Every structure is written in C-alpha cells, then in structure tokens.
Amino acid sequence: MAELTINGKRKELDADTLADVVELLGLGGRPVVAEVNGEVVASEKWAETQVASGMKIELVHFVGGG
Amino acid sequence: MDVRKISDQAQSRAELGDAAGAARDTWRIGDEEMTSRFFLGTGLFPNPFVQNEAIAASGAEVLTFAIRRVDLESAEDDSILQHLEPGKFRFLPNTSGSRTAEEAVRIARLARASGLSDWIKVEISANERTLLPDPIETLRATEILVKEGFTVLPYISDDPVICRKLEEAGAAAIMPGGAPIGTGLGILNPYNIGLIAEEANVPVIVDAGLGTASDAALAMELGAAAILMNTPVAKAQDPVGMALAMKLAIEGGRLAYLSGRMGKKKYASASSGFDALKVE
C-alpha cells in the first residue's frame, strides 16, 4: 500500500507505478496530465514511474475557460 | 432566427470580397496561418450542445481552456475535450488561477504535457476582485516560457509600454484587455488599444472585457488582429446567435480597418452639393 497525497487529498492505493494510480482512480484512457513531486511526468513514462508513500501527485485536465 | 442562413449569406459576401481582392486576409501566429480572427473561450456555456453550436457559428479556429485538478470524487468524465471534434481546433490553454510567474510556468508545463498544444495564454491575476493582470509577473513568466520554447500569448493590461516589453521578451502575440475579465464594459481606453495595435510588430488580440458586437467591431477598427472572448457569447440570451454576431462584427470591423475610414469633420457637408437646388 502506498500512502499518497493526490490533488491535495490523502489516499491509500495498492499501486506500484503512476500508471497503476491513474488506473485505480478510474482515469485510464482519459486526457489527464500528471505531476509527481512538482515535476511533470509524460504519459509514456507513467508505467516506469515508481510511486512510494509520501509522494505528492497532481492530476489535472483541460476544463472550460477563456 | 435561422443562424445558418445568415451565416451562408455572410459567407457569400466574403466570397464577393474575395473577387474584389479584399479578402484572402489571413494572419499568423508562429507557423499557424489562420483565417478566423475570433478566438473563443469554452467556459460558462449552458451545456455542451449549445457550446458546440456556438463554436460552429463563430467560425473560430482557436479555442481557449483552463487547467484544473481532476475531481477525484466525481467518476464521470467531465473533460471538455470529449465534446469536441478531434484535430479540428488549435488549443490555447491559459494559466488562470496563477498569481505568480512560477505558478503560471508550472501550469504551462502541465498544459504542454497534454501533448495537445505548445501555445500558452499567460494569465496572472494580481487581484481577485478585478482579475487585472500582474504586469511584472506576466513579463517574468513570458521570458521563462519563451526560453522553454512555448508560443506565448500574454494577457495584459492595455498599457503600450508593457505591451512593447512583452513583445521584446518574445511573445508571439500581445493580448491587451479592453476591460476587466467578464465585465462586458467594452473598450475602456480606445486610444491605448489603437496605439498598441499601431506600434506592435506581432499580432494584437483584444482579450477580455468586451460585451457586444459593436465592442468587437471597434477593436478591429482600432487595428487589432483578432479578438478573444468567452463571457459575451456564453452568457448571451442566445449564445449561438451572439457567436455569429461577433463573427460578423469582427469581419466588418476588420474590413473597415483595411478600407480606411473617412476623416472626421466638425460641420456638415452635403453628399450632393447644394448649389443645384437653388431656385430663383
């Protein structure tokens, strides 16, 4: 179990990689951008990006705006 | 109102203009050649259907977006992109919500990581009540993002000096506001907008504060290359009708700018002369 802070909220997930996190949150296949500890991680690298307790992850997307 | 019919009529007028050599009036940002001079925002529309109809009526080739956290509590896919035809539009994400250059740069990097666009509208608000842009932070963010290879379009106040500095920093276009965001007050300082357009060597896009079609026409008459707006269309009683009204006003204002308006005179001068009418 990894204890992560995702979009400002604490979550415990059974995840080894960033790809697992995105999948477990039900965001697989959606146009989401990820940042881990303040650094953008391109989607091609999600599967090789290990996650561990204490990491801060931000998941963002495009919304309506001017 | 049959918006499509009016749009078709406007289209045939544009073709007439083409024949007269007045049209084929394209413009560029970076390598992107565009025909439409209308950038449309995607916020505040009543629903995705009306939004898509309004986008179609506007003829916009560039759409703006914001970047926000995904709502992890809501399972539904609320991504704005799912409603748009893929590949049809150039995307211009903004850095709204940022208060410093560092925050804007972070949002810009996230936006580019989407793989959808390397264009970025720098929008850094100094004050929540007015949302007026912070010129110092905007200039700093522009300098950083230009170095990182972004195509940077800063939203900025209507000050000719800061606009010049942004251009010198490598901005691909300058986007002065007509009035504070979402106010619909129109162009509060036409002199400044006109001066900015006259002096700039990059496209000037009037962004924010417009309310209705005459505001858009005035911006174009003052020499703006294009208009960016969201609220006036999204919050109109009929957003689709207003999108078309704005498109036509932008085209009308542009054509008036190209055609050169008559000089202003203090006193009347009759169109037909007076002498021939004198009866003894």
Side-chain angles (χ1 to χ4, degrees):
Chain A
M1 277 287 175
E3 205 173 290
L4 306 165
T5 304
I6 305 176
N7 289 1
K9 288 184 181 139
R10 303 271 285 211
K11 280 199 183 283
E12 275 196 21
L13 292 177
D14 188 11
D16 296 323
T17 67
L18 187 54
D20 295 340
V21 171
V22 171
E23 206 59 47
L24 285 168
L25 292 170
L27 299 171
R30 298 211 342 219
V32 171
V33 179
E35 193 189 68
V36 177
N37 292 341
E39 294 289 326
V40 173
V41 180
S43 56
E44 308 87 67
K45 301 226 165 142
W46 290 357
E48 60 191 68
T49 302
Q50 303 288 321
V51 294
S53 290
M55 281 186 167
K56 283 188 180 163
I57 298 174
E58 290 285 332
L59 298 167
V60 303
H61 63 167
F62 281 25
V63 300
Chain B
M1 180 181 61
D2 188 345
V3 162
R4 298 271 179 217
K5 203 168 182 180
I6 300 171
S7 184
D8 288 348
Q9 284 171 4
Q11 187 58 41
S12 57
R13 288 278 175 82
E15 280 157 16
L16 276 178
D18 239 347
R24 192 63 206 146
D25 174 32
T26 61
W27 66 296
R28 290 180 166 275
I29 289 182
D31 296 333
E32 187 90 358
E33 187 176 32
M34 294 168 285
T35 308
S36 168
R37 292 173 180 273
F38 191 0
F39 288 11
L40 188 59
T42 55
L44 306 172
F45 281 90
N47 60 58
F49 175 77
V50 169
Q51 176 169 304
N52 273 357
E53 288 291 298
I55 291 168
S58 75
E61 296 165 331
V62 177
L63 301 178
T64 64
F65 297 90
I67 306 285
R68 291 290 180 272
R69 280 175 166 170
V70 175
D71 181 359
L72 300 177
E73 309 311 316
S74 141
E76 70 188 273
D77 186 352
D78 54 352
S79 167
I80 187 107
L81 301 175
Q82 66 171 328
H83 304 292
L84 297 172
E85 199 179 314
K88 196 172 175 201
F89 302 99
R90 155 70 73 174
F91 292 157
L92 175 57
N94 67 39
T95 66
S96 66
S98 65
R99 286 156 302 169
T100 64
E102 285 70 27
E103 288 175 9
V105 167
R106 180 182 169 213
I107 295 172
R109 288 174 183 156
L110 285 165
R112 183 159 72 176
S114 70
L116 295 170
S117 182
D118 61 359
W119 286 20
I120 190 76
K121 166 178 162 176
V122 174
E123 176 180 344
I124 304 175
S125 295
N127 177 310
E128 274 183 28
R129 196 159 70 94
T130 63
L131 294 178
L132 285 171
D134 183 323
I136 313 292
E137 295 299 310
T138 301
L139 181 58
R140 283 182 55 223
T142 298
E143 286 167 348
I144 296 168
L145 292 168
V146 166
K147 284 199 189 104
E148 293 189 11
F150 285 86
T151 296
V152 185
L153 295 83
Y155 161 62
I156 192 66
S157 40
D158 60 356
D159 178 77
V161 179
I162 188 68
C163 286
R164 166 53 58 93
K165 299 217 180 234
L166 288 165
E167 183 184 327
E168 287 167 0
I174 307 292
M175 306 210 292
I181 294 170
T183 58
L185 292 171
I187 297 180
L188 296 179
N189 193 335
Y191 177 85
N192 273 16
I193 295 290
L195 193 60
I196 291 164
E198 193 183 315
E199 291 189 335
N201 299 302
V202 294
V204 170
I205 302 169
V206 172
D207 175 7
L210 306 187
T212 188
S214 53
D215 300 332
L218 175 59
M220 299 307 292
E221 287 167 5
L222 290 169
I227 304 292
L228 193 168
M229 68 166 75
N230 189 159
T231 316
V233 174
K235 289 294 187 187
Q237 301 278 316
D238 172 4
V240 183
M242 189 58 87
L244 179 59
M246 293 299 184
K247 172 183 188 277
L248 297 175
I250 290 165
E251 289 170 359
R254 173 67 183 169
L255 197 50
Y257 171 74
L258 292 176
S259 304
R261 60 154 296 148
M262 63 166 281
K264 290 182 181 178
K265 293 177 194 160
K266 194 168 179 187
Y267 299 109
S269 59
S271 302
S272 313
F274 267 114
D275 289 348
L277 271 178
K278 281 180 188 160
V279 180
E280 293 299 321

